[in-house]
Amino acid sequence: MTIKEIAKLIPANYRKEILETNMITHAQSTASDTGMYYLFTIWKNYVEPNADMKVECGFCLERILKNYNEMLPVLIELEKESNLLNGL
């Protein structure tokens, strides 16, 4: 699965919120970070719903945050595409 395909699994309203709040940039891979908890929840619900992950797993949080950081340019691209379509 490509990064773009993974990004598209996340509903547009969540992608927009993640970008508007700069959540990926500010998140820290700890369970106590509310932004990271939000990112984890979205990942668990839409990207890997069958994965056995727990928010207390530091390794899981690091992996998810790394994936979001790699996906950030694609999320921005998808939001720009959405804005262009909404402007028509």
Side-chain angles (χ1 to χ4, degrees):
M1 191 175 278
T2 68
I3 291 176
K4 190 167 190 171
E5 291 170 332
I6 294 169
K8 286 183 174 183
L9 293 173
I10 300 168
N13 59 318
Y14 292 123
R15 293 193 310 252
K16 181 176 182 162
E17 183 178 13
I18 289 168
L19 292 173
E20 285 178 349
T21 60
N22 228 358
M23 200 174 296
I24 296 170
T25 307
H26 297 300
Q28 297 178 8
S29 55
T30 61
S32 62
D33 181 75
T34 55
M36 187 66 227
Y37 184 81
Y38 189 80
L39 291 171
F40 171 85
T41 302
I42 291 170
W43 191 269
K44 176 75 172 130
N45 288 338
Y46 299 103
V47 179
E48 291 187 85
N50 298 321
D52 184 26
M53 295 184 292
K54 300 201 180 343
V55 74
E56 298 84 15
C57 172
F59 176 74
C60 299
L61 296 178
E62 286 180 32
R63 181 179 64 82
I64 290 170
L65 187 55
K66 179 182 177 277
N67 289 334
Y68 272 112
N69 278 307
E70 290 176 7
M71 197 174 18
L72 185 57
V74 176
L75 293 172
I76 293 168
E77 175 189 334
L78 289 172
E79 185 61 22
K80 286 180 181 177
E81 289 174 5
S82 176
N83 289 339
L84 283 173
L85 288 172
N86 291 335
L88 294 177

